[in-house]
Amino acid sequence: MSTVLPDQFGHFGRFGGRFMPEALIAPLDELTQAWREAMADPEFTGEFERMLREYIGAPSLLYDATRLSDVAGSRILLKREDLNHTGAHKIRNAIGQALLTKRMGKPRVIAETGAGQHGVATATACAYLGLECVVYMGEVDTERQALNVARMRLLGAEVISVKTGSRTLKDAINEALRDWVASVDKTHYILGTAAGSHPFPAMVRDFVRGIGDEAREQSLALLGKLPDAAVASVGGGSNAIGLFTAFIGDDEVKLYGIEPGGDGFETGRHAATITAGQVGVLHGARSFLLQDEDGQTIESHSISAGLDYPGVGPEHAWLADTGRATYRPITDAEAMEAFRLLSKTEGIIPAIESAHAVAGALDIAKELGPEATILVNLSGRGDKDMDTAATWFGLGGSDE
Amino acid sequence: MSDVVALGKAGVAIRKANDAGRGALIGYLPAGFPSYDGGVDGIKALIDGGVDVVEIGLPYSDPVMDGVTIQRATEVALAGGLRTRDVLSTVEKVAAYSDVPLLVMTYWNPVERYGVDRFAADFAAAGGAGLITPDLIPDEGAEWIAAADKYELDKVFLVSPSSTDARIAMTTANCRGFVYATAVMGVTGARDKPSDLAAPLVARVKSATGLPVGVGLGISNGDQAAGVAAFADAAIVGAALVKALQDGGPAGVRKLTEGLAEGVRREPRAPAVR
């Protein structure tokens, strides 16, 4: 199996495609052509690689987590995307699409953000490349992620609080799409995950696949062979597709996507889209989504704002359908235990998103045993999550 | 395919208006706003006020083509517990009231979730004439096109100022009823200034098809409707009617509709070129 999908219409098997207003179809065609030409142009890819190296700090380290491995029972390797500039893998996509925006001659960028990580990454890329930047963020999220709002504003972006619908990430995407319909001749929409309408799932994959390409090479150098499994958390799915793409053709490498199980699958309060959702259309593509009997989107729940999305990228739906990758949920409580475990055993405080992947790896280690090597995408750092962690673990300031 | 078949139910109603030397008027209201019964009464007021075709919105949680007026109204409808089956029964009630063709405007996922063939069957049985599908392009619409053909329903796809001539040709070839031309690059909602993109778009559409062309987005009063009727076959009004229902109830809808109906009759126009 190799990465020949999507087809020219953006379909991954029965998933993906374009469920978009006609007004955006011609602009999406232009974007598809610009992206394909850019990826075939050594000047563009060379510039992208230079920025990754000199500005982001790529390749990120592959770290042999020996003390965590002692607890886990398998050898755990961590792909340290948390060490990237701005603290997560998101910057790879933001800088790639921002560079493409410049190439298309568009002066303005819009983006959506939930927790604020993609918004900060996009604001950073726009500051670096001199682009105007507007970030849509649900009102609920602007309140609970005030620090990231301040970061974006400091970086020169305008942050617009979205007050319609559930006032969270999905509504921020809706509002960004409404802006884009009216502004597309001068504006590029930097979607933050490998979801949405064609070409976004494939284009975002191109910009984040360095995660897996680097890790594959680093694994071969360290182990002399490939890891037995690759594990990543899945919200929309960009860090996971970034890790998986290099290994899709390596049948001996098992792929695991870890979904946010929230309070537990049985409570209905979760964001485990592939595990618990049904096939439908949301935000421009057919995939799995959390929806009610009438096809109305159901609000998702996760302690991790970055995974709190009721949809998932269409390539993950396809990988699940074909059985090439396995998707399973991890609850908030399990993720927070892994958050603490990694902090205490390795001195690495992960993003809660990435803690889901670590928790998933602990379960997988029990299944694969001591001879196995498990590669985990540590997609981001946990500084942004300290308020949540302090509340969860009762780490307040008083020394009782 | 003969002209009569391609005209469908909405197209026949539009051409009837055009043959009388005027533009047609298409009015939109969502089902379930401000309540289930209130929605039905609002739609009846559209008909009493003189629309030629009714467009009933199916409320959806993620309406990316709608501005804030219609967003708020459909949020109210969903918060009131409106179900897809209630939209179908709204259609049934209005169909019993009048012969005016009833189109439902719906984002795609609710139809896909209901089952495309099942929805088409139940909708046709309720007396519906066809669907307007703002986020379904013919490229992805094979299942809907087959169901619409099976149940003889109108298929109204959208064209936009950004559409290429090739896309306009492909899209109009898949339409039955009329072609919905969006007058601006943007979402639904009243606008002060007439669009200068609409007339050239209508001209491009008319060079590709003999179907009637309706223009929507931003039309809110009789003067604007008159302006559109000068170059298009039908004027489509949505957000302004939603606001009229919100502020003035069914009487407010009827009053605005009468003003719009006067607008599309203001300038005598030549019969449609076939």
Side-chain angles (χ1 to χ4, degrees):
Chain A
M1 203 186 311
S2 63
T3 313
V4 294
L5 291 177
D7 67 16
Q8 60 166 318
F9 305 107
H11 296 126
F12 299 86
R14 62 184 171 129
F15 302 105
R18 274 188 186 161
F19 294 83
M20 273 290 187
E22 170 66 22
L24 289 174
I25 300 300
L28 286 166
D29 280 339
E30 284 165 25
L31 175 61
T32 304
Q33 192 183 343
W35 154 64
R36 289 221 169 99
E37 285 171 5
M39 296 314 286
D41 179 355
E43 203 174 312
F44 179 87
T45 53
E47 180 65 2
F48 178 53
E49 278 157 24
R50 184 194 67 76
M51 285 172 13
L52 286 177
R53 208 171 50 242
E54 296 178 5
Y55 189 63
I56 309 306
S60 61
L61 296 175
L62 185 72
Y63 172 71
D64 202 348
T66 52
R67 278 170 49 81
L68 178 67
S69 300
D70 287 345
V71 179
S74 296
R75 186 175 184 180
I76 309 270
L77 305 179
L78 299 176
K79 180 62 176 162
R80 296 290 308 276
E81 288 292 294
D82 60 315
L83 297 177
N84 291 345
H85 180 43
T86 71
H89 76 286
K90 293 278 188 195
I91 190 71
R92 292 179 185 259
N93 172 49
I95 211 107
Q97 287 199 54
L99 189 61
L100 185 61
T101 305
K102 293 278 277 192
R103 184 183 167 97
M104 291 188 293
K106 295 188 174 185
R108 178 174 178 263
V109 156
I110 56 173
E112 85 294 342
T113 199
Q117 291 306 105
H118 173 59
V120 167
T122 304
T124 299
C126 289
Y128 179 60
L129 290 170
L131 293 162
E132 184 191 344
C133 181
V134 174
V135 179
Y136 289 94
M137 190 169 184
E139 188 180 34
V140 171
D141 292 327
T142 58
E143 284 161 9
R144 60 187 180 189
Q145 300 288 341
L147 188 63
N148 271 342
V149 174
R151 288 171 81 191
M152 288 184 270
R153 288 184 173 145
L154 187 63
L155 290 160
E158 181 188 352
V159 179
I160 297 179
S161 174
V162 176
K163 298 177 170 62
T164 52
S166 59
R167 297 177 296 134
T168 58
L169 175 59
K170 82 175 178 68
D171 307 284
I173 295 175
N174 293 342
E175 204 56 30
L177 285 169
R178 290 180 191 117
D179 179 314
W180 206 31
V181 171
S183 66
V184 67
D185 57 332
K186 292 196 170 59
T187 300
H188 175 62
Y189 178 14
I190 301 191
L191 189 69
T193 192
S197 186
H198 181 62
F200 283 101
M203 180 173 70
V204 173
R205 178 183 70 192
D206 268 359
F207 291 135
V208 296
R209 65 167 294 162
I211 301 168
D213 290 338
E214 293 165 14
R216 194 174 186 282
E217 214 171 283
Q218 291 164 326
S219 297
L220 287 171
L222 180 72
L223 309 168
K225 64 183 183 72
L226 295 175
D228 299 291
V231 184
S233 64
V234 179
S238 69
N239 94 75
I241 214 67
L243 183 70
F244 291 174
T245 299
F247 298 102
I248 283 177
D250 302 316
D251 288 340
E252 68 271 33
V253 181
K254 296 184 172 71
L255 305 177
Y256 294 94
I258 306 301
E259 295 201 294
D263 292 345
F265 172 59
E266 64 289 348
T267 66
R269 289 176 53 82
H270 59 81
T273 313
I274 294 176
T275 308
Q278 296 95 15
V279 176
V281 170
L282 176 66
H283 292 145
R286 182 177 285 119
S287 187
F288 289 101
L289 58 121
L290 302 181
Q291 55 180 327
D292 70 12
E293 267 181 78
D294 281 353
Q296 309 288 348
T297 309
I298 294 175
E299 273 180 61
S300 54
H301 294 274
S302 171
I303 193 168
S304 151
L307 302 179
D308 196 355
Y309 178 59
V312 66
E315 189 167 6
H316 287 296
W318 178 76
L319 289 171
D321 227 26
T322 58
R324 178 63 189 93
T326 305
Y327 296 81
R328 44 166 82 174
I330 282 290
T331 63
D332 288 354
E334 291 167 326
M336 292 310 290
E337 276 314 306
F339 180 93
R340 179 153 70 181
L341 178 67
L342 184 64
S343 300
K344 287 176 82 165
T345 56
E346 297 287 355
I348 297 170
I349 301 176
I352 298 175
E353 290 80 2
S354 318
H356 281 72
V358 173
L362 295 174
D363 287 347
I364 293 159
K366 288 182 197 125
E367 297 160 23
L368 299 185
E371 299 305 314
T373 301
I374 301 172
L375 168 66
V376 177
N377 192 11
L378 204 72
S379 57
R381 69 180 182 220
D383 308 46
K384 69 184 177 60
D385 295 317
M386 288 317 299
D387 280 349
T388 306
T391 304
W392 183 274
F393 295 117
L395 308 173
S398 67
D399 45 335
E400 34 184 321
Chain B
M1 192 182 284
S2 78
D3 278 359
V4 178
V5 174
L7 273 181
K9 298 174 183 79
V12 166
I14 293 167
R15 282 291 182 242
K16 194 176 153 200
N18 296 160
D19 288 345
R22 64 174 179 89
L25 177 64
I26 302 176
Y28 164 98
L29 284 174
F33 176 77
S35 62
Y36 177 81
D37 290 336
V40 172
D41 291 343
I43 296 162
K44 287 178 178 173
L46 280 180
I47 293 168
D48 295 343
V51 295
D52 299 290
V53 175
V54 168
E55 191 184 321
I56 299 173
L58 192 154
Y60 175 54
S61 53
D62 296 277
V64 297
M65 268 297 282
D66 285 307
V68 74
T69 304
I70 292 178
Q71 282 177 50
R72 297 279 188 217
T74 53
E75 274 176 32
V76 167
L78 291 173
L82 189 85
R83 303 287 310 271
T84 299
R85 60 171 177 265
D86 301 323
V87 178
L88 293 171
S89 74
T90 296
V91 169
E92 196 167 14
K93 284 196 166 71
V94 180
Y97 180 74
S98 160
D99 291 334
V100 170
L102 307 177
L103 301 175
V104 159
M105 166 156 158
T106 180
Y107 292 91
W108 192 240
N109 198 50
V111 178
E112 185 153 307
R113 186 81 174 117
Y114 194 95
V116 177
D117 189 85
R118 182 176 157 235
F119 185 91
D122 290 356
F123 176 65
L131 296 185
I132 300 171
T133 50
D135 65 347
L136 184 73
I137 54 176
D139 320 52
E140 299 280 359
E143 200 179 356
W144 160 236
I145 288 167
D149 292 348
K150 181 173 165 188
Y151 297 99
E152 298 182 348
L153 294 168
D154 290 359
K155 315 165 273 191
V156 179
F157 293 104
L158 279 63
V159 295
S160 154
S162 64
S163 302
T164 60
D165 288 343
R167 286 202 61 81
I168 286 174
M170 184 279 293
T171 302
T172 56
N174 281 291
C175 286
R176 178 166 48 239
F178 70 98
V179 180
Y180 191 130
T182 55
V184 295
M185 289 298 287
V187 296
T188 60
R191 288 174 173 78
D192 295 336
K193 279 194 282 184
S195 162
D196 54 5
L197 299 174
L201 174 61
V202 170
R204 288 202 292 142
V205 175
K206 283 191 168 290
S207 72
T209 180
L211 280 174
V213 184
V215 169
L217 296 193
I219 304 166
S220 60
N221 58 45
D223 290 347
Q224 290 174 341
V228 166
F231 62 85
D233 302 309
I236 307 167
V237 183
L241 287 162
V242 174
K243 194 162 186 314
L245 180 58
Q246 188 178 300
D247 297 344
V253 169
R254 179 163 178 160
K255 183 158 178 279
L256 176 58
T257 307
E258 286 169 351
L260 295 163
E262 178 277 317
V264 297
R265 285 165 172 80
R266 203 173 293 169
E267 298 294 331
R269 47 174 286 155
V273 180
R274 300 289 155 84

